[in-house]
């Protein structure tokens, strides 16, 4: 368990993420070459291209569509899930490895991010209609909240997030990072990876899904945990 304070994890602590030491322009993710489009060192944030094919994006959307329900968020004081006015998307979780498509994508992401699928929460698909959004939040579990210890018992702390864009909205729907003054434009097949080096706002990983202004937005997200998430 890393320190649950505002001190960063030790640099020797294993963490997910693409290996960028040799400044690659593309990464061999096994069955696909992924492009490195932008990288920020602190916090670690990488914009990746060609992560999913258009066919894979369409297949994920069609598999998710009949299973969508209004998105819930974790209520950290209690650890339970609840409706949240700040998150107006619809969503669903796949089961890990539930289909050949899921197994192919999970294996690719594991190779790309050097993190075992067992330590990841299953892929989640989110659907935003015009006017819907996900207001800025942190994805780690706040160590000061009373519900957090029970959430950490299954898989430990969240360490990183991958947001995969399954379509290109007409207008709006960017992933915003207010502490960094950064907005990632959603583009089908691209993904943004970011890592929080401590479960604290000083990680500067506050982020949100900006309102969709025209068209719709589909994303898949994956959260990486310290330990097995079974
Ligand atoms: O849909 C997004 O862009 C988005 C933004 C912020 C998704 C998440 N957070 C998430 O699923 O954590
Ligand atoms: Zn988030």
């Amino acid at each position: 368990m890393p320190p649950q304070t505002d001190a960063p994890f030790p640099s020797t602590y294993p963490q997910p993420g693409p290996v960028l030491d040799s400044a690659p322009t593309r990464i061999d993710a096994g069955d696909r070459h992924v492009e490195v489009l932008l990288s920020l060192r602190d916090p670690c944030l990488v914009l990746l291209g060609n992560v999913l094919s258009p066919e894979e994006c369409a297949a994920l959307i069609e598999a998710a569509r009949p299973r969508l329900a209004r998105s819930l968020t974790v209520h950290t004081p209690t650890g339970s899930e609840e409706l949240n006015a700040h998150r107006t998307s619809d969503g669903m979780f796949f089961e890990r490895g539930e289909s050949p498509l899921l197994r192919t994508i999970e294996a690719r992401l594991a190779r790309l991010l050097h993190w075992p699928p067992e330590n990841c929460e299953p892929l989640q698909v989110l659907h935003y209609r015009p006017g819907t959004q996900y207001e800025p939040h942190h994805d780690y579990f706040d160590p000061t909240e009373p519900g957090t210890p029970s959430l950490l018992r299954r898989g430990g702390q969240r360490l990183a997030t991958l947001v995969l864009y399954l379509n290109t909205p007409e207008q709006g729907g960017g992933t915003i990072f207010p502490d960094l003054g950064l907005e990632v434009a959603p583009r089908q097949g691209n993904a943004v990876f970011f890592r929080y080096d401590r479960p604290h706002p000083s990680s500067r990983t506050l982020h949100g899904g900006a309102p969709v202004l025209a068209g719709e937005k589909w994303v898949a997200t994956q959260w990486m945990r310290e330990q097995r998430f079974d």
Side-chain angles (χ1 to χ4, degrees), residues 71-213:
S71 296
L72 302 174
T73 44
V74 175
H75 182 56
T76 36
T78 59
S80 63
E81 290 196 307
E82 60 170 21
L83 271 180
N84 184 336
H86 304 291
R87 188 183 191 193
T88 46
S89 55
D90 290 333
M92 58 77 69
F93 281 97
F94 288 111
E95 276 178 49
R96 224 167 33 217
E98 73 165 54
S99 67
L101 173 68
L102 263 284
R103 289 195 289 279
T104 299
I105 294 172
E106 286 165 3
R108 186 183 306 154
L109 299 182
R111 190 154 163 174
L112 175 67
L113 303 176
H114 301 272
W115 208 246
E118 300 76 39
N119 289 29
C120 297
E121 294 182 46
L123 271 185
Q124 172 180 222
V125 170
L126 299 174
H127 177 218
Y128 300 82
R129 297 171 197 282
T132 62
Q133 63 180 310
Y134 192 177
E135 286 184 9
H137 60 276
H138 295 97
D139 282 349
Y140 55 75
F141 301 117
D142 182 344
T144 65
E145 291 283 359
T148 292
S150 82
L151 292 164
L152 297 184
R153 272 197 282 282
R154 184 179 178 205
Q157 186 55 272
R158 285 180 177 159
L159 301 177
T161 304
L162 183 74
V163 179
L164 297 141
Y165 301 103
L166 304 182
N167 80 325
T168 306
E170 274 171 52
Q171 222 189 327
T175 303
I176 52 170
F177 294 83
D179 294 342
L180 308 176
L182 180 70
E183 176 160 355
V184 176
R187 286 238 142 231
Q188 188 185 53
N190 284 6
V192 61
F193 168 88
F194 57 98
R195 189 166 69 208
Y196 1 113
D197 65 357
R198 64 200 95 172
H200 190 271
S202 59
S203 64
R204 295 184 300 139
T205 56
L206 185 70
H207 65 283
V212 175
L213 302 177

Side-chain angles (χ1 to χ4, degrees), residues 26-61:
R26 48 184 218 158
I27 298 172
D28 180 0
D31 60 345
R32 205 166 171 83
H33 282 102
V34 169
E35 298 158 3
V36 180
L37 302 177
L38 175 149
S39 69
L40 184 70
R41 203 174 297 258
D42 183 19
C44 173
L45 181 153
V46 187
L47 178 62
L48 300 156
N50 199 42
V51 182
L52 298 174
S53 71
E55 295 74 25
E56 288 170 332
C57 292
L60 283 174
I61 290 173

